[in-house]
Amino acid sequence: MKKFKKEAILALLAVSVILPVFVSAQGTRADYDRAKGLRDKWKGLAVNQPDRPEWVEKTHKFWYRKSVTGGNEFVLVDADAAIKAPAFDHEKLAAALAEALKEKVDPKNLPFFRIEFVDEMKAITFNAKESAWKYDLAAGTVVKTGPAKPPAGGDEGNWQDYGGPAEPAASAEMKASPDGKWEAFIRNYNLYVRPKEEIKTDRPRGEMPGPPPGGPGGPVGPKKEDIALSTDGIEGNYYSYRSIVWSPDSKKIAAHRVRRGFHRKMQLVESSPADQLQPKYSSIGYTKPGDVLDVSQPVLFLVEDRRAVEIDNALFPNPFEITDPEWTKDSRAFAFEYNQRGHQVYRIIAVDAASGEPRAVISEEPKTFFDYSGKKYLFPVADGKEIVWMSERDGWNHLYLYDGETGAVKNQITKGEWVVRGVDKVDEETRKIWFQASGMNPGQDPYFVHHYVINFDGTGLTALTEGDVTHAAAFSSDMAFYTDLYSRHDQPPALDVRRSSDRSVVMQAERTDISALVKAGWKAPEVFTAKGRDGKTDIWGVIYRPLNFDPKKKYPAIESIYAGPHDSFVAKGFVGYSYMQALAELGFIVVQVDGMGTSNRSKAFHDVCWKNIGDAGFPDRILWHKAIAAKYPYYDISRVGIYGTSAGGQNALGALLFHPEFYKAGFSACGCHDNRMDKIWWNEQWMGWPIGPEYAAASNVENAYRLEGKLLLLVGEMDTNVDPSSTMQVVNALIKANKTFELIVIPGSDHTSGGPFGERKRSDFFVRNLLGVEPPDWNKPEPPPAKK
């Protein structure tokens, strides 16, 4: 008996060494309740917080939406007069919309976020309840004008089907020449033209022509005046109506002949549809790395000569994409962009309209990749006689001025160990460029965005923004004024109006008041830096601690990860509520960091991802964690978890497979676990083409046998972004390797982290596996509140 008691005491002491006794105070039901209620508790406590403003075209007025007590308000500012007022009568609009919708509308919580001033600012338009609306500002009346307009740049149809559906044998429309004398169209896969004045029709004005009786003869049927400019078009190698572009002098046409590639279908099963008992089966177009692509061949047509000029493709032999032709204003040439498969050659090619001879005006040929999806910028000056171009050729993302006739670099416009983040405006007359950049100011976070203006020749660099904060500026159409919205983690947003000529502040439009938010317990995350794998590059991230943080306790660490190479992901501006803060409330310290391989730093920093996406910056991330632990003893790096979705899902599982000595538990949602299974553009951009052994080396499927830590996988069965089979193939490999893991499939869900259910399962997973505490039994009803 005494021996048994001694063994029991020793066992308890051993457990206490692994999980200190104070851990029992973390991961409790009270912690869950506090985390769950945080969003609602803090909602609306930051007052006068502005969204990004939008200028009204050809005016010195702009509008924005800001938070107010109980909701939001739209504001209109007159920069000339330096005054602001409500953009409209919120009470009247709410009443008019309520009458139209036959439901209650709260004037402080209107069912839209964006407006557009129309009719010389006498009305506004907006989308609400799946419809488009117009509100007369004077009359106070609202009318429905049709279905809601899709957002600019919104995806349509099978957006992952690269090249899209094949074009029909005959076009249903015609493209008129600029002089109005000719019309071009497609018949039987070939390019035709006909004199416009010869066309006669009995169709009512505006009615679309259909195919003639007996087959697809083309618009309004064949006529004797029709002229075939091509005869070699066939099904599967056809002339594209979408690509037809007339020269401004109406004497020439540039178009593409398209050889169809392989168009893969991704199969989906909706197990639990809302409208029927039985499952539904569907497929979408989805092109993957290595698939055979459509190939476009530009062709020049001389209308008066009635002939085609084949263009030598030696400069563009293996396209990932060739853009549609664009003519110079004087019709001397047309140009297109050539993105070579593998993304190691990117060219601007001009074709002489007299000879059909192509030449490379600009040719980018990096040793790794040209970031066409994030850092390409092209602006033709003086009808293409000069070109403003963006490049990383000197190791940093900068602007260059090219001679459009010779292809020579006239001068580098911007230079230095910092990066151009975007271009706001190019003014040909004044030869000035307004642009965004980060990393120019020593001692500041290198991701903070500032705005600048510079001359074409690289002189006159002038900062338009200031301070140790990140900025988002927006300019009036004539560039006379600009708004400056700025903040950082510990400094709430402020909105100023500035005059461009002298950068003076015309008006302090808004100052966000967070006093109530701070009183409710809000705290800014800590910004933390440490050296990366090279021992000299600063790695930047943030640290969220629980609101009841006690430095005498030990806290497991959880990293939120998304290491997609197309951007950087740690927020730099003010954040009122973050899920990371809510997760921290359960008894963790939650962090986020941008490691090497992500964007917006030097080319060398970015190139770490090249054919090495499995790296995900982990050598930098781990050093960053260790630096935190060295400074703060309560930061327990013996218990580190990680979670992410999409590319972050791939990263989270990769952490467990490739760095099991550091990461102990991972939540992986909708991960692209094998880059050969994911969308083509994103994966070939970073992993290259042809498909090489690097793809298998980075694959979570191929490396599933390495799993040592705790793993929870989640997938939406109707994911159209990342093939759900990618997750299931990981599951298959884990089963074959006899590994233990958890899996959640969300029926009917697209690309997702699981919604509220997924959040709760993620929290439970980390509480159980990092805190060693059993989460609450959610199947049991909550006990009634105690009587006071």
Side-chain angles (χ1 to χ4, degrees):
M1 188 69 176
K2 289 182 179 179
K3 182 180 179 181
F4 173 78
K5 285 184 178 179
K6 182 180 179 182
E7 289 176 347
I9 292 170
L10 289 173
L12 286 171
L13 287 172
V15 171
S16 70
V17 170
I18 299 172
L19 294 175
V21 292
F22 50 72
V23 168
S24 61
Q26 295 165 291
T28 66
R29 183 63 179 255
D31 293 328
Y32 274 91
D33 290 343
R34 186 174 64 258
K36 185 178 179 181
L38 207 56
R39 188 196 305 264
D40 291 338
K41 180 182 179 181
W42 289 353
K43 184 179 180 180
L45 296 185
V47 179
N48 298 325
Q49 180 173 345
D51 294 340
R52 187 163 184 171
E54 290 192 32
W55 287 89
V56 180
E57 190 68 20
K58 297 181 180 179
T59 76
H60 290 166
K61 297 179 179 180
F62 64 90
W63 68 268
Y64 60 93
R65 180 174 174 264
K66 71 169 185 176
S67 62
V68 296
T69 302
N72 297 279
E73 178 183 81
F74 291 84
V75 179
L76 181 66
V77 175
D78 184 333
D80 285 321
I83 58 174
K84 66 178 182 178
F88 50 84
D89 189 319
H90 292 62
E91 296 280 350
K92 283 186 178 180
L93 189 151
L97 189 58
E99 183 177 350
L101 292 172
K102 306 303 180 188
E103 62 181 67
K104 186 177 179 180
V105 176
D106 182 352
K108 286 190 176 182
N109 290 280
L110 295 168
F112 53 87
F113 300 90
R114 187 181 179 278
I115 60 175
E116 182 177 355
F117 281 90
V118 296
D119 300 344
E120 298 180 332
M121 298 190 68
K122 295 177 182 177
I124 60 170
T125 59
F126 56 89
N127 288 345
K129 304 292 184 178
E130 300 182 351
S131 296
W133 302 84
K134 185 176 182 179
Y135 177 71
D136 187 302
L137 294 172
T141 56
V142 65
V143 294
K144 184 187 296 185
T145 59
K149 298 176 183 178
D155 297 318
E156 297 179 6
N158 294 342
W159 63 288
Q160 304 285 25
D161 183 8
Y162 208 80
E167 293 188 36
S171 57
E173 300 176 358
M174 293 180 282
K175 290 189 177 180
S177 61
D179 64 8
K181 295 179 179 180
W182 295 91
E183 289 186 314
F185 58 96
I186 301 296
R187 178 189 298 149
N188 197 24
Y189 302 109
N190 282 286
L191 178 62
Y192 281 72
V193 294
R194 65 170 57 158
K196 188 175 182 181
E197 62 269 22
E198 297 294 330
I199 297 175
K200 298 177 181 179
T201 177
D202 296 326
R203 296 192 313 275
R205 182 177 179 85
E207 183 178 307
M208 293 295 295
V220 301
K223 289 183 176 289
K224 64 180 181 179
E225 299 88 358
D226 294 351
I227 301 169
L229 295 183
S230 74
T231 57
D232 57 340
I234 59 173
E235 185 177 9
N237 195 9
Y238 55 80
Y239 285 88
S240 164
Y241 176 81
R242 291 194 295 263
S243 71
I244 294 172
V245 183
W246 282 93
S247 62
D249 64 8
S250 301
K251 295 180 179 180
K252 298 168 281 288
I253 293 173
H256 289 172
R257 187 175 64 246
V258 179
R259 187 182 74 222
R260 290 287 281 179
F262 171 61
H263 286 257
R264 180 185 302 277
K265 294 292 184 182
M266 185 172 77
Q267 309 298 323
L268 297 168
V269 179
E270 186 178 5
S271 64
S272 311
D275 59 348
Q276 67 183 48
L277 176 63
Q278 299 301 326
K280 290 182 178 179
Y281 307 91
S282 61
S283 64
I284 63 169
Y286 195 102
T287 310
K288 296 185 177 183
D291 285 354
V292 177
L293 297 178
D294 294 359
V295 174
S296 295
Q297 168 67 43
V299 181
L300 170 65
F301 295 94
L302 306 179
V303 177
E304 292 180 346
D305 296 345
R306 302 186 181 187
R307 67 184 178 92
V309 179
E310 197 74 28
I311 300 167
D312 184 2
N313 73 345
L315 288 172
F316 49 96
N318 182 27
F320 177 81
E321 182 182 30
I322 289 179
T323 62
D324 288 342
E326 292 188 30
W327 284 94
T328 57
K329 295 175 183 178
D330 61 6
S331 301
R332 71 184 187 279
F334 70 87
F336 58 87
E337 298 174 38
Y338 166 65
N339 185 359
Q340 185 160 294
R341 191 85 184 260
H343 311 297
Q344 291 184 280
V345 176
Y346 199 100
R347 293 186 175 126
I348 308 301
I349 296 176
V351 178
D352 184 87
S355 65
E357 285 293 317
R359 63 185 178 88
V361 181
I362 297 174
S363 187
E364 290 283 343
E365 301 180 31
K367 293 180 180 179
T368 54
F369 56 86
F370 178 73
D371 187 1
Y372 77 95
S373 63
K375 296 176 183 174
K376 181 184 74 69
Y377 181 80
L378 165 69
F379 189 92
V381 178
D383 201 20
K385 291 182 174 61
E386 292 180 310
I387 297 171
V388 176
W389 177 252
M390 188 181 287
S391 172
E392 292 183 287
R393 64 186 57 184
D394 77 345
W396 301 84
N397 198 41
H398 282 300
L399 298 174
Y400 294 77
L401 184 64
Y402 268 81
D403 186 317
E405 301 292 341
T406 66
V409 176
K410 297 182 75 171
N411 61 270
Q412 184 171 348
I413 301 171
T414 62
K415 62 181 64 176
E417 293 188 355
W418 47 271
V419 296
V420 173
R421 297 285 292 271
V423 176
D424 295 311
K425 168 82 172 181
V426 176
D427 190 319
E428 296 187 49
E429 292 185 7
T430 62
R431 296 181 70 79
K432 292 181 181 293
I433 302 170
W434 287 259
F435 68 97
Q436 307 154 37
S438 59
M440 198 184 299
N441 300 321
Q444 285 192 13
D445 185 324
Y447 296 94
F448 278 179
V449 173
H450 286 268
H451 292 253
Y452 303 87
V453 63
I454 195 170
N455 296 320
F456 276 20
D457 63 4
T459 63
L461 176 65
T462 303
L464 302 177
T465 55
E466 58 198 23
D468 189 13
V469 288
T470 192
H471 298 261
F475 297 83
S476 61
S477 53
D478 64 359
M479 306 300 287
F481 296 93
Y482 60 98
T483 57
D484 181 14
L485 179 61
Y486 54 92
S487 71
R488 69 183 184 205
H489 284 291
D490 61 348
Q491 184 171 322
L495 177 63
D496 290 341
V497 185
R498 290 177 177 260
R499 183 175 287 106
S500 298
S501 59
D502 59 4
R503 305 180 303 284
S504 61
V505 176
V506 174
M507 179 183 184
Q508 294 183 348
E510 293 295 346
R511 294 292 185 268
T512 304
D513 180 0
I514 62 169
S515 56
L517 185 64
V518 172
K519 188 176 180 180
W522 177 89
K523 294 177 182 178
E526 178 186 352
V527 176
F528 191 87
T529 62
K531 298 301 180 184
R533 70 187 78 182
D534 60 3
K536 57 184 180 181
T537 302
D538 283 333
I539 303 299
W540 290 71
V542 291
I543 303 172
Y544 284 85
R545 297 173 179 82
L547 298 180
N548 62 356
F549 171 72
D550 182 349
K552 296 178 182 178
K553 291 184 178 182
K554 280 277 192 178
Y555 290 87
I558 299 177
E559 179 180 346
S560 171
I561 188 169
Y562 190 99
H566 56 280
D567 207 344
S568 52
F569 303 97
V570 177
K572 298 300 170 180
F574 178 83
V575 178
Y577 168 84
S578 169
Y579 170 73
M580 288 184 278
Q581 183 65 63
L583 183 58
E585 294 311 298
L586 300 181
F588 306 107
I589 293 178
V590 184
V591 302
Q592 188 181 20
V593 59
D594 284 312
M596 291 187 186
T598 53
S599 191
N600 300 324
R601 300 287 289 274
S602 69
K603 176 65 171 165
F605 190 101
H606 202 185
D607 278 348
V608 169
C609 73
W610 174 239
K611 295 188 176 183
N612 187 29
I613 209 165
D615 177 277
F618 281 123
D620 313 299
R621 295 169 187 275
I622 292 171
L623 288 171
W624 188 82
H625 281 284
K626 289 180 177 179
I628 298 174
K631 183 176 182 179
Y632 301 123
Y634 51 76
Y635 193 79
D636 187 355
I637 55 171
S638 70
R639 294 177 292 155
V640 179
I642 189 168
Y643 70 92
T645 299
S646 194
Q650 178 183 14
N651 305 146
L653 176 51
L656 301 183
L657 302 181
F658 302 116
H659 301 277
E661 77 291 346
F662 191 79
Y663 293 97
K664 305 305 182 184
F667 173 92
S668 168
C670 292
C672 38
H673 295 291
D674 189 311
N675 298 102
R676 295 166 293 189
M677 288 289 292
D678 195 27
K679 62 195 78 67
I680 186 171
W681 75 266
W682 194 86
N683 294 273
E684 285 193 7
Q685 166 79 95
W686 320 117
M687 292 295 288
W689 180 92
I691 304 300
E694 301 86 2
Y695 280 82
S699 169
N700 289 345
V701 178
E702 300 276 356
N703 290 282
Y705 69 91
R706 299 177 184 271
L707 180 66
E708 293 184 23
K710 304 296 184 180
L711 171 64
L712 172 55
L713 294 166
L714 182 145
V715 65
E717 69 176 4
M718 296 297 290
D719 193 340
T720 58
N721 188 342
V722 175
D723 190 340
S725 295
S726 188
T727 294
M728 301 314 294
Q729 288 180 5
V730 168
V731 170
N732 183 50
L734 290 169
I735 291 172
K736 287 183 176 180
N738 199 30
K739 297 294 182 177
T740 298
F741 62 97
E742 299 176 58
L743 171 67
I744 300 171
V745 180
I746 307 293
S749 181
D750 203 326
H751 203 54
T752 183
S753 297
F757 180 78
E759 282 192 16
R760 197 249 293 166
K761 292 295 290 184
R762 177 169 54 195
S763 298
D764 289 353
F765 172 77
F766 286 128
V767 165
R768 182 180 295 111
N769 292 295
L770 294 180
L771 292 179
V773 174
E774 189 60 28
D777 184 350
W778 303 106
N779 291 343
K780 286 185 177 180
E782 290 190 39
K787 293 182 179 180
K788 293 183 180 180

